[in-house]
Amino acid sequence: MTDKPTRRMVLGGLTAMLAAPAFGETGTFRFPSIDGGEYRLSDWAGRPVLVVNTASLCGFTDQYEGLQALQDRFADQGLVVLAVPSNDFRQELASEDEVKEFCEMTFGLDLPMTEITSVRGPGAHPFYAWLRATHDFTPRWNFNKVLIGADGRFIEAFGSNVRPTSRKLVQAIEGQLTS
């Protein structure tokens, strides 16, 4: 299969998905939860969501501390930090159970977390395929951050080098908080 048909298929599917979204641009996206069940971005309507592709064995893994700090600091004002473990860069543990245990034991994480999910390429989760198609954004490495506004619209993407507690990211989050 060539790149053009794949792109056409993705764009066609995304157009259908976004025809009547329940929550801004992102309302129809669902992620399988690492705990079972699923997360729907529409469940967090009215709240900003920071979606972060993560990996347990990456040099940026210490950013989990900052992600948890953001969640702790801004949760009462509406922020949700969604961790999306991915093995696209071959730096994730072998199973969801291992990822969950590592994150809880090493960082005390209690963020919502998805199952191990592809974030790039032809097998990318629909959210990440949508980011590529509509906002020309594809994670280049682990710990890329995507801020979705309280209205469900894409606000900004931040690379791996932008620390979770950096002034730039915190100011972007503060601009989206409900109170």
Side-chain angles (χ1 to χ4, degrees):
M1 183 180 294
T2 66
D3 191 45
K4 279 192 174 198
T6 301
R7 185 170 173 83
R8 254 186 264 133
M9 288 172 25
V10 167
L11 290 174
L14 291 173
T15 300
M17 286 172 53
L18 296 174
F23 171 52
E25 297 172 297
T26 61
T28 59
F29 295 115
R30 300 168 182 231
F31 291 87
S33 169
I34 202 164
D35 295 316
E38 69 179 10
Y39 298 114
R40 295 179 301 193
L41 291 184
S42 63
D43 288 343
W44 296 315
R47 301 173 70 180
V49 180
L50 185 66
V51 182
V52 185
N53 66 299
T54 63
S56 303
L57 305 175
C58 179
F60 290 105
T61 300
D62 66 339
Q63 288 191 23
Y64 271 131
E65 289 178 13
L67 295 173
Q68 185 65 53
L70 284 176
Q71 179 74 33
D72 293 344
R73 178 177 174 188
F74 294 118
D76 289 344
Q77 296 172 55
L79 179 67
V80 175
V81 177
L82 178 64
V84 182
S86 177
N87 196 34
D88 286 355
F89 304 104
R90 306 293 179 240
Q91 294 188 320
E92 189 51 272
L93 298 169
S95 72
E96 279 85 14
D97 288 340
E98 289 176 283
V99 171
K100 184 177 176 181
E101 181 178 356
F102 171 79
C103 290
E104 288 174 353
M105 301 301 289
T106 308
F107 297 101
L109 235 58
D110 64 3
L111 308 171
M113 184 175 283
T114 72
E115 291 179 353
I116 298 171
T117 302
S118 183
V119 299
R120 53 185 293 127
H125 182 278
F127 174 78
Y128 285 96
W130 168 79
L131 283 172
R132 179 177 177 221
T134 61
H135 298 286
D136 197 28
F137 176 76
T138 300
R140 292 183 182 170
W141 196 245
N142 302 308
F143 289 88
N144 280 235
K145 299 144 199 84
V146 177
L147 182 60
I148 302 300
D151 62 357
R153 305 232 179 260
F154 172 85
I155 301 300
E156 190 171 352
F158 303 86
S160 303
N161 289 320
V162 176
R163 309 290 296 173
T165 55
S166 71
R167 169 181 249 136
K168 179 180 182 177
L169 182 54
V170 169
Q171 286 178 338
I173 290 168
E174 288 174 337
Q176 298 301 312
L177 296 174
T178 54
S179 59

